[in-house]
Amino acid sequence: MKALLSHLLVVPVVLPLVTTALLLLLGEQRRRARSLVSVTSTFVGLAVAAAIMTLVDGVGGPGVYLAGNWQAPFGIVLVADRLSALMLVLVGVVSCCAALYSEAGWARAGVSFHVLFQIQLMGLNGAFLTGDFFNLFVFFEVMLAASYGLQLHGTGWPRVHSGLHYLAVNLLASSLFLIGLAVLYGVIGTLSMADVAAKFALVPTGDRGLLLAGVALLATAFLIKAAMWPLNAWLLPAYTATSAPVAALFAVMTKVGLYTLLRMWTLLFPSTDDGAPRFGEEVFVYGGLATLAFGALGLAASTKLGRMAAFSIAVW
């Protein structure tokens, strides 16, 4: 069972990639065939995610896939525990609903919708499964590159205006992400999540301030992507201007930032018996409360369905 789980972990990343290649081979003219391939692949991905969650629960521990059989921290590692498996299922459920709804007409509003949709799924699934901070950055960029195209999919000046704003903000966040990774690697010498967690407490006192500065840069990048107030000015115009199925998929994308913060903080700052607050804990608590208040007030003041949905994403 554990061997089966290990080999299944690569499927949520490879399946959308293979589907993308098949969609490109089919060309833009075979719309019905492209739709069938995309929707079928999305449902297969949901079935695989459900199987991974079942196997992780049955094994009672995380599943690990070593790409090329290279051991960590030298190789690419995919890891699935109960939380990441649950997030995979969430991506599968939302993407299946979005794929079906897009066939009502949104998929034909522009070119390459299904291709971008599958690349977005590959980035989302990879971000939830990776066990390495640099590969997390790679999957983040794959996810964001597809989201730029999906945000601009269709016509209209509001979509172009919000899309350029969305692009600029996420490029800034990606730059902070990369700088934070460089600082982390410069101090610790590795970007494997398990290796970073093991060596974090061994960092000399003189390098501790630089290390925490790198962690703060990473946290800022993740909080921008998670749309925490006041870093969420991009969310409302982006989600109201884009199409409904894309907005549904983007709602999961914001949760990647929260998932990454949760994963990083539990690895780097484990809870202590004395109950002392961990680094940045107050910022997360008060920032989360402010985001909830912002979303709730915006939801109560909105009269248009699109704005209500966007503010609901901030609360959710």
Side-chain angles (χ1 to χ4, degrees):
M1 185 180 291
K2 201 158 189 176
L4 175 61
L5 172 61
S6 175
H7 288 88
L8 268 182
L9 293 185
V10 75
V11 177
V13 178
V14 173
L15 178 63
L17 182 62
V18 173
T19 304
T20 299
L22 182 57
L23 290 171
L24 291 173
L25 288 174
L26 287 173
E28 288 293 335
Q29 302 302 319
R30 302 177 182 178
R31 291 183 179 272
R32 187 165 296 180
R34 288 163 63 90
S35 298
L36 181 61
V37 169
S38 180
V39 172
T40 302
S41 174
T42 305
F43 273 88
V44 172
L46 173 58
V48 172
I52 290 174
M53 186 172 67
T54 303
L55 289 173
V56 167
D57 188 61
V59 171
V64 179
Y65 176 82
L66 303 175
N69 206 29
W70 284 86
Q71 299 295 321
F74 305 106
I76 296 174
V77 181
L78 300 179
V79 183
D81 55 13
R82 289 180 177 177
L83 176 59
S84 56
L86 181 63
M87 298 305 293
L88 285 180
V89 173
L90 176 63
V91 171
V93 172
V94 174
S95 62
C96 284
C97 296
L100 287 175
Y101 186 77
S102 66
E103 295 306 315
W106 288 112
R108 297 184 292 275
V111 297
S112 302
F113 176 85
H114 294 298
V115 171
L116 294 170
F117 190 88
Q118 292 298 323
I119 295 176
Q120 175 92 47
L121 290 183
M122 182 179 70
L124 284 169
N125 291 334
F128 287 129
L129 286 174
T130 186
D132 184 276
F133 282 116
F134 183 77
N135 293 320
L136 176 65
F137 174 77
V138 172
F139 283 121
F140 254 110
E141 294 310 301
V142 169
M143 174 182 66
L144 288 173
S147 72
Y148 299 150
L150 289 173
Q151 172 66 30
L152 295 169
H153 187 78
T155 58
W157 170 246
R159 189 164 298 173
V160 174
H161 183 271
S162 64
L164 293 176
H165 183 203
Y166 172 80
L167 175 64
V169 171
N170 278 282
L171 285 177
L172 173 62
S174 297
S175 300
L176 293 176
F177 193 171
L178 193 57
I179 295 171
L181 286 181
V183 173
L184 192 66
Y185 183 78
V187 175
I188 297 183
T190 181
L191 290 177
S192 169
M193 292 183 181
D195 213 25
V196 168
K199 296 179 178 179
F200 192 84
L202 304 178
V203 174
T205 305
D207 295 333
R208 196 75 178 176
L210 182 60
L211 178 61
L212 293 180
V215 172
L217 286 173
L218 289 173
T220 304
F222 298 145
L223 289 174
I224 292 175
K225 297 177 187 294
M228 189 188 81
W229 188 88
L231 305 174
N232 58 354
W234 60 269
L235 185 142
L236 186 63
Y239 281 62
T240 53
T242 191
S243 61
V246 173
L249 202 58
F250 280 10
V252 182
M253 194 169 64
T254 57
K255 302 305 171 282
V256 178
L258 294 176
Y259 168 85
T260 308
L261 279 171
L262 177 62
R263 182 69 72 192
M264 185 170 69
W265 246 249
T266 53
L267 285 173
L268 303 186
F269 306 104
S271 58
T272 56
D273 295 333
D274 57 4
R278 289 176 282 188
F279 175 71
E281 198 170 73
E282 297 89 349
V283 176
F284 297 150
V285 172
Y286 294 116
L289 292 174
T291 305
L292 288 174
F294 169 80
L297 291 174
L299 183 61
S302 299
T303 57
K304 295 182 179 180
L305 184 59
R307 292 177 64 87
M308 293 175 66
F311 279 113
S312 296
I313 292 170
V315 175
W316 177 49

